[in-house]
Amino acid sequence: MKKEKKDIRSLTKEQLRDFFVSIGEKAFRGNQVYEWLWSKAAHDFDAMTNLSKEVRQLLEEHFVINHIQVDEMQRSSDGTIKNAVKLHDGLTVESVLIPTFSRTTACVSSQVGCSLDCQFCATARLKRMRNLNADEIYDQVVAIDQESRLYNGIPLSNIVYMGMGEPLMNYKNVLASIEKITSPEGLGMSPKRITVSTSGVPKMIKKLADDEVKFNLAVSLHSAIDEVRTQIMPFNASFPLKDLKESLIYWYQKTKRRVTYEYLIWKDINDKPKDIAALVEFCKAIPCKVNIIEYNPIDDGAFQQADAQVTSAYQRALEQAGITVTVRRSRGKDIDAACGQLANKSSK
C-alpha cells in the first residue's frame, strides 16, 4: 500500500532539521527549507534552488506542499479583487483584496462555510465543511500581497479575518497563521495591522486575552438588545450579550486595547430609537469604536438597508456620547465581494 506523504508545512523548523539529520544531511538544510516554505512561500521543491537535485528528490519522495491555488480572480469596478481559492482537497473559499489610496487590506477566510447561523450572511448558509489549516490562511495572504504589488504597486498593509467562517471556532489554526504572518521568518507583518473579527464567542475572547495576543479585535454586533440579536444571529441565545460584554471587559482589562464593533442597520429590525440607545449603553462598558457598515443584500429581501437618516441618528447619538464612529461604504458589491456576500459564487 502506498504511503501517504506528509504535508511538509506541518513540521516545525526543529522537525525539519531532525529529518535532515536522520537522512545523513546537515541540520542547516532544515533552516533552508523552512525559509523557502514560509519567507519565500515556495510551492514546489524544485524552486528550492540552493538545495541539490538529490535533496530535492528526497523531499519529493517524503513530503507534499498542500498549497492553495487562485482558481478564479474577479476585479471590481472600484479596484476590489475577489479570489476563489481552491484548497488541496478540492474545496473552495474566497478572499478579497480591498485597496484604498493609502493602503491595501486582505480579507481572509478561516473556515470552509461557517459554524454559526447569522441570518443576513451568505456564508452562514453554507454548511461548515472544515477548518482551514494555518498554511492555507497564510497562502491567502501571500496571494493577496502579490496582487497588491501587481495591481496597486504597494505591498499589503493590513489583514482582516472577516472572510468565510468564524475565526474563534478555528482558534488554534488562526493563531498559528498569525504567528507565521508576523514572524520575521514569515511575512514579518506587525500584529497591529491585523484584526480578527468574531461574531462573539465569550469563552474564546477571554482565551485571546489570556494568551496575550497583540492583534486587534472586532466584534460583529448588529444589536445590543438580546431578542433582536437572537432574531438575526440565533447563536446569541447560547452566547447572550451579558456574557459577551463580560468577556469584552475582561479583554480590555488584560490588553488595554479598545474593541471595534461592526454594526449593520436594517429597516424594521434595528432602526428604532431604543436600538440606538441600547448600542450607546453597550459601548460604555469599555473604550471602543463603532464601524457602521452598509448592508449588502443576499437576494431574498428579508433584510433591507435602513434609511440614511437612521444611520445619521446612530452616528449623532454615538458621537454625543463620546464614542468614535465611522460609516463605511461597501467595496466590491458588483462581484459579490462585499461584507456578508462571500458564498463561493463565481461569475458565469
Side-chain angles (χ1 to χ4, degrees), residues 8 20 33 45 51 55-63:
I8 195 167
F20 278 103
V33 171
F45 297 116
L51 302 178
V55 169
R56 282 181 269 157
Q57 280 175 336
L58 267 170
L59 289 171
E60 196 80 54
E61 285 166 23
H62 286 85
F63 302 107

Side-chain angles (χ1 to χ4, degrees), residues 118-159:
C118 304
Q119 300 297 293
F120 54 88
C121 179
T123 309
R125 299 181 178 194
L126 305 174
K127 179 185 169 193
R128 189 192 77 81
M129 304 291 284
R130 69 172 175 86
N131 289 333
L132 294 191
N133 297 327
D135 53 274
E136 292 171 320
I137 300 170
Y138 186 91
D139 280 353
Q140 292 175 68
V141 175
V142 169
I144 291 175
D145 179 49
Q146 290 167 350
E147 290 167 348
S148 178
R149 292 168 191 269
L150 178 63
Y151 294 107
N152 300 92
I154 53 173
L156 183 67
S157 60
N158 294 75
I159 303 168

Side-chain angles (χ1 to χ4, degrees), residues 208-260:
L208 285 177
D210 287 337
D211 287 342
E212 299 180 348
V213 300
K214 304 298 183 205
F215 51 78
N216 303 305
L217 180 66
V219 176
S220 191
L221 189 62
H222 314 308
S223 178
I225 299 171
D226 265 316
E227 311 85 80
V228 178
R229 196 167 192 259
T230 300
Q231 177 193 343
I232 56 179
M233 304 166 86
F235 70 88
N236 184 71
S238 304
F239 306 130
L241 286 164
K242 175 177 68 71
D243 295 350
L244 176 59
K245 184 189 281 189
E246 183 199 324
S247 71
L248 293 169
I249 292 168
Y250 186 83
W251 158 273
Y252 185 75
Q253 286 170 342
K254 282 271 192 173
T255 68
K256 295 296 179 279
R257 288 206 305 284
R258 68 179 179 170
V259 171
T260 298

Side-chain angles (χ1 to χ4, degrees), residues 49-303:
T49 47
N50 59 351
L51 302 178
S52 70
K53 193 173 180 185
E54 293 73 30
V55 169
R56 282 181 269 157
Q57 280 175 336
L58 267 170
L59 289 171
E60 196 80 54
E61 285 166 23
H62 286 85
F63 302 107
V64 291
I65 305 173
N66 286 331
H67 61 87
I68 66 157
Q69 287 181 308
V70 177
D71 210 28
E72 183 181 6
M73 186 189 84
Q74 293 173 265
R75 291 186 74 192
S76 165
S77 56
D78 63 22
T80 301
I81 291 174
K82 180 172 79 168
N83 294 324
V85 174
K86 185 174 273 189
L87 309 175
H88 70 93
D89 54 5
L91 295 172
T92 300
V93 294
E94 293 180 339
S95 59
V96 181
L97 167 66
I98 307 158
T100 64
F101 292 115
S102 57
R103 67 186 192 180
T104 55
T105 300
C107 176
V108 297
S109 293
S110 56
Q111 295 180 311
V112 185
C114 188
S115 308
L116 301 181
D117 50 10
C118 304
Q119 300 297 293
F120 54 88
C121 179
T123 309
R125 299 181 178 194
L126 305 174
K127 179 185 169 193
R128 189 192 77 81
M129 304 291 284
R130 69 172 175 86
N131 289 333
L132 294 191
N133 297 327
D135 53 274
E136 292 171 320
I137 300 170
Y138 186 91
D139 280 353
Q140 292 175 68
V141 175
V142 169
I144 291 175
D145 179 49
Q146 290 167 350
E147 290 167 348
S148 178
R149 292 168 191 269
L150 178 63
Y151 294 107
N152 300 92
I154 53 173
L156 183 67
S157 60
N158 294 75
I159 303 168
V160 293
Y161 283 67
M162 294 183 189
M164 299 169 69
E166 166 51 61
L168 298 192
M169 294 293 197
N170 185 14
Y171 190 93
K172 181 182 160 199
N173 291 332
V174 163
L175 262 64
S177 71
I178 293 172
E179 192 181 324
K180 283 285 191 290
I181 289 163
T182 56
S183 166
E185 296 181 306
L187 300 181
M189 286 189 74
S190 167
K192 292 176 182 173
R193 294 182 171 273
I194 298 172
T195 299
V196 170
S197 175
T198 176
S199 293
V201 187
K203 181 172 76 171
M204 304 315 289
I205 290 171
K206 287 181 176 178
K207 183 162 171 52
L208 285 177
D210 287 337
D211 287 342
E212 299 180 348
V213 300
K214 304 298 183 205
F215 51 78
N216 303 305
L217 180 66
V219 176
S220 191
L221 189 62
H222 314 308
S223 178
I225 299 171
D226 265 316
E227 311 85 80
V228 178
R229 196 167 192 259
T230 300
Q231 177 193 343
I232 56 179
M233 304 166 86
F235 70 88
N236 184 71
S238 304
F239 306 130
L241 286 164
K242 175 177 68 71
D243 295 350
L244 176 59
K245 184 189 281 189
E246 183 199 324
S247 71
L248 293 169
I249 292 168
Y250 186 83
W251 158 273
Y252 185 75
Q253 286 170 342
K254 282 271 192 173
T255 68
K256 295 296 179 279
R257 288 206 305 284
R258 68 179 179 170
V259 171
T260 298
Y261 297 124
E262 292 150 356
Y263 204 92
L264 293 160
I265 310 170
W266 297 283
K267 195 173 182 178
D268 300 329
I269 293 175
N270 60 350
D271 60 349
K272 297 168 189 65
K274 67 175 184 178
D275 298 296
I276 299 173
L279 177 60
V280 170
E281 191 57 36
F282 192 88
C283 287
K284 289 176 182 174
I286 57 167
C288 64
K289 58 180 178 177
V290 176
N291 280 345
I292 295 176
I293 305 165
E294 184 182 356
Y295 177 61
N296 306 295
I298 54 170
D299 299 336
D300 60 7
F303 290 86

